[in-house]
Amino acid sequence: MKKFHGALHRRKTIEELSDKFILESIESVTYRLEDLHVYKEMFQQLEAKGLIVTGDFEDFLWSTKGESNNFLLQFDCEIYGEINQALKCYSVQKMYNGIKTQTVRHNIGQIKEAIRNADAYCDLCANYNTKVANVRKLPNFHDILLFDIALDEYFKTCTSDEDRLRYYPIFLWWRITRIIPMRPVEFYSLSRDCTMKDTEDRYWMVLPRRKNSSRHLGKIEVTGTVQVNQEVFELIKDYKRLTSAYVNDSPYLISYKAYRKYVKIKSKEKAREKMGATQFINLIDRFYDEIVTRKYGDLERIKPGDTRHFAFCNMMLQGFNMLTIARMGGHSQLETQLHYHKHLDHFAQSFVHHAAQVLRMKRKNLWRINWDNATQGIIAKSRIYQISDFQETYKVEHGYCTDHPSRCQVGDCRFCEFYFFSPEDKQKGLAWLKDCSDALESRLKEQLELIRYVTKSINYDFATLTYQQTGQERLSSASNELRRLMDQKAMVDSYLLEDEL
């Protein structure tokens, strides 16, 4: 397998397991002066292999062996002292990792150019007011869930094709772009023939994305075709059937003419070939005004671009690596998606809180799809289970187990669906739950930081569009552990929520 060079790591072979497999240790490299002897030893090994032809470590000029000819590495930043020495160590580590000397020379040139222009760049920036980039503020998670419920309920209760067609573009947008991180303009530009089924009964969607013409180092070729499930395929097929009378010569999936049939505007809008941002925002607002607000009151409204953020966060929490996410999301550089990492904590916390609410209401036999404004009042007056409601119970810490302990697969009662919280001392019981909830909160934060770290540490090869398998395995394991912690905290918090009523 080719060496990766997306990030700087130190690799060491621990054991050769077979002719094909080796056990390696991989660590992220941070330059430290006390490690200088390590880099000098690497330099000597590169000399022994013939990769460094002439020059000592202390020299400012090294001759290195390339594929067809030699390349000179020049370290002429002595004015910056330690930076020049760090640059030598950087170059040695790169070459030691198997990176081509031509690539190393290119990297050194870029770094030196940045160093030499640093002062001029800072002087230039000082003439302008700096604007702090704000992270997109996503709507309240509870309001997002109510929108989801309202949309599902509307389409489940539609009695005619006319009613379905009225808001079908929103339904497609909600179902597709929460899974595939598409920009709104990409959704509006989907081709009418954007889906297909192959000979192996797999379903695919073609996205309206321009391929990168540049294959320079650091640029990623985004994918234009992604696999989708049968539900998405059938939804698009149904929408195409309903809009067949409005198609004419338009090549786009979302029908502007079908949209105009239901919209009422004072001034005559010019005919368009496809729906745009203004029309789609108008459609979302009408759905809120006519459907959502009438049932749930004024909610924080979702914007067309929000679902792209939902999709990115979901993929990150599920353990997708940065290269896969970048190609799916249409990013030509990995660094672009780091912006979305800032949403992960809020997204995870919101998920846990919602899951706790669902568990609590299911336990009280109250969960209903029609979650209206009177829900809190209903809950407050609801019948609370008594221990006599269960056929078999076993005394455990601060409550009872409603299943036989011999069948226990959880270990801690606080994480188990068969646990019935009924403490003899309520304050001690609540403190016991709260301590666990706080500990899980800390572990969740640590796990999210681990996911961020592992995500950034994976090596990627942009030329072959491959990634370090051991890094992906670590990321998958970390994501599985995160979901386990989220499930545990949701269960514990569901008992604490009962005490709030």
Side-chain angles (χ1 to χ4, degrees):
M1 190 174 186
K2 293 183 179 180
K3 296 289 185 182
F4 296 89
H5 52 269
L8 191 58
H9 290 79
R10 182 171 296 149
R11 312 169 72 97
K12 181 180 179 181
T13 299
I14 298 176
E15 183 181 355
E16 294 186 3
L17 302 176
S18 66
D19 293 338
K20 296 183 178 180
F21 299 100
I22 62 173
L23 181 62
E24 281 189 329
S25 67
I26 303 173
E27 61 174 325
S28 297
V29 178
T30 301
Y31 172 73
R32 293 189 296 265
L33 185 59
E34 56 265 31
D35 293 335
L36 186 60
H37 68 283
V38 176
Y39 295 104
K40 288 185 177 181
E41 290 176 3
M42 291 181 185
F43 182 90
Q44 292 173 357
Q45 292 182 45
L46 293 172
E47 277 186 314
K49 293 180 180 179
L51 293 176
I52 294 181
V53 181
T54 60
D56 294 327
F57 185 87
E58 288 75 15
D59 293 342
F60 74 94
L61 193 66
W62 300 348
S63 176
T64 60
K65 183 180 179 181
E67 291 184 340
S68 57
N69 58 315
N70 292 348
F71 293 96
L72 291 177
L73 303 185
Q74 191 170 1
F75 305 97
D76 51 359
C77 300
E78 287 300 339
I79 189 174
Y80 296 100
E82 188 178 347
I83 293 180
N84 195 60
Q85 185 167 267
L87 192 58
K88 290 181 180 181
C89 296
Y90 168 85
S91 304
V92 167
Q93 185 69 64
K94 281 274 191 177
M95 294 173 64
Y96 191 83
N97 284 354
I99 306 303
K100 296 177 182 178
T101 53
Q102 183 178 3
T103 301
V104 175
R105 186 179 71 164
H106 179 70
N107 293 156
I108 292 174
Q110 290 179 316
I111 294 172
K112 290 196 296 185
E113 185 69 19
I115 292 172
R116 288 166 183 153
N117 293 316
D119 292 338
Y121 178 74
C122 291
D123 291 341
L124 181 64
C125 291
N127 296 323
Y128 300 91
N129 292 325
T130 56
K131 181 180 179 181
V132 178
N134 294 320
V135 180
R136 174 190 286 261
K137 183 180 181 300
L138 297 180
N140 179 279
F141 197 79
H142 176 263
D143 291 358
I144 295 172
L145 292 172
L146 290 180
F147 174 84
D148 179 58
I149 292 171
L151 192 59
D152 276 346
E153 185 181 42
Y154 177 83
F155 276 85
K156 285 178 181 177
T157 58
C158 275
T159 57
S160 68
D161 286 347
E162 292 288 316
D163 289 337
R164 291 174 63 81
L165 189 56
R166 186 186 302 273
Y167 294 115
Y168 218 136
I170 297 179
F171 196 55
L172 289 177
W173 160 75
W174 189 245
R175 289 298 180 89
I176 295 172
T177 61
R178 287 186 305 163
I179 302 171
I180 304 171
M182 297 172 61
R183 299 176 177 88
V185 67
E186 292 172 335
F187 175 73
Y188 313 144
S189 302
L190 282 172
S191 166
R192 191 164 180 82
D193 299 320
C194 63
T195 53
M196 64 189 79
K197 180 180 178 182
D198 64 18
T199 56
E200 298 179 10
D201 290 334
R202 294 176 301 183
Y203 301 93
W204 302 89
M205 174 178 285
V206 178
L207 307 178
R209 289 173 177 165
R210 290 183 296 176
K211 296 259 185 177
N212 295 333
S213 58
S214 172
R215 295 304 301 271
H216 293 164
L217 185 67
K219 293 292 184 181
I220 303 170
E221 181 180 337
V222 301
T223 184
T225 305
V226 296
Q227 190 171 0
V228 296
N229 57 31
Q230 184 177 0
E231 179 190 11
V232 169
F233 180 85
E234 295 297 339
L235 283 175
I236 291 176
K237 182 179 178 181
D238 184 49
Y239 177 74
K240 288 166 67 175
R241 175 186 65 81
L242 293 177
T243 57
S244 59
Y246 304 93
V247 176
N248 293 339
D249 299 326
S250 176
Y252 299 105
L253 172 66
I254 307 302
S255 172
Y256 172 75
K257 289 188 176 180
Y259 157 79
R260 279 302 307 272
K261 178 180 179 180
Y262 301 102
V263 68
K264 294 181 181 180
I265 54 178
K266 294 181 180 179
S267 60
K268 187 175 181 180
E269 188 174 89
K270 292 182 179 180
R272 299 172 57 94
E273 190 177 23
K274 68 175 181 179
M275 182 177 287
T278 301
Q279 291 75 35
F280 196 73
I281 291 172
N282 178 44
L283 189 63
I284 293 177
D285 284 339
R286 286 198 292 115
F287 183 74
Y288 270 103
D289 293 339
E290 297 177 6
I291 307 298
V292 182
T293 304
R294 291 180 181 180
K295 188 164 188 178
Y296 301 106
D298 289 327
L299 303 179
E300 198 171 352
R301 299 195 175 191
I302 301 169
K303 298 179 286 295
D306 288 342
T307 52
R308 179 171 165 84
H309 288 245
F310 302 158
F312 277 126
C313 290
N314 272 318
M315 292 182 75
M316 290 172 183
L317 293 178
Q318 289 178 60
F320 285 85
N321 63 69
M322 291 179 74
L323 180 59
T324 301
I325 294 174
R327 298 194 69 212
M328 285 277 287
H331 289 154
S332 61
Q333 294 181 321
L334 294 184
E335 293 77 11
T336 306
Q337 65 187 259
L338 296 179
H339 168 79
Y340 299 95
H341 281 204
K342 300 172 184 177
H343 288 306
L344 285 183
D345 294 273
H346 173 71
F347 205 80
Q349 290 171 2
S350 298
F351 176 86
V352 168
H353 183 71
H354 168 65
Q357 291 277 19
V358 172
L359 286 168
R360 169 178 152 278
M361 288 192 289
K362 280 185 176 180
R363 191 160 53 244
K364 290 181 176 297
N365 217 11
L366 283 168
W367 178 249
R368 304 179 306 163
I369 292 298
N370 299 327
W371 189 9
D372 55 33
N373 290 332
T375 299
Q376 292 297 329
I378 295 173
I379 293 173
K381 299 175 183 177
S382 65
R383 177 177 68 94
I384 298 177
Y385 284 134
Q386 302 295 329
I387 194 61
S388 58
D389 292 331
F390 302 98
Q391 292 182 349
E392 55 178 336
T393 58
Y394 304 88
K395 189 76 173 90
V396 292
E397 191 170 10
H398 296 296
Y400 298 88
C401 177
T402 61
D403 191 24
H404 198 283
S406 64
R407 294 189 288 267
C408 180
Q409 298 181 351
V410 178
D412 193 318
C413 294
R414 290 170 289 195
F415 309 148
C416 183
E417 62 180 312
F418 296 107
Y419 179 61
F420 179 75
F421 179 62
S422 180
E424 294 179 2
D425 187 321
K426 186 175 181 180
Q427 294 306 314
K428 286 185 179 180
L430 290 175
W432 177 66
L433 291 174
K434 186 65 168 58
D435 288 345
C436 183
S437 178
D438 291 343
L440 287 169
E441 178 72 19
S442 297
R443 292 180 64 189
L444 274 174
K445 291 179 180 178
E446 292 172 358
Q447 199 66 22
L448 284 168
E449 284 303 316
L450 175 61
I451 287 175
R452 290 188 182 98
Y453 171 77
V454 174
T455 297
K456 297 174 186 177
S457 300
I458 296 177
N459 291 331
Y460 304 95
D461 190 328
F462 300 145
T464 60
L465 298 176
T466 54
Y467 48 83
Q468 180 188 0
Q469 192 58 41
T470 53
Q472 177 59 58
E473 290 170 359
R474 283 187 67 198
L475 182 58
S476 298
S477 175
S479 298
N480 289 336
E481 176 63 12
L482 175 68
R483 290 194 293 273
R484 188 180 74 87
L485 292 172
M486 290 167 68
D487 289 342
Q488 289 181 348
K489 182 164 171 51
M491 183 64 74
V492 174
D493 288 359
S494 70
Y495 295 111
L496 289 171
L497 286 172
E498 291 180 5
D499 187 61
E500 294 178 3
L501 296 176

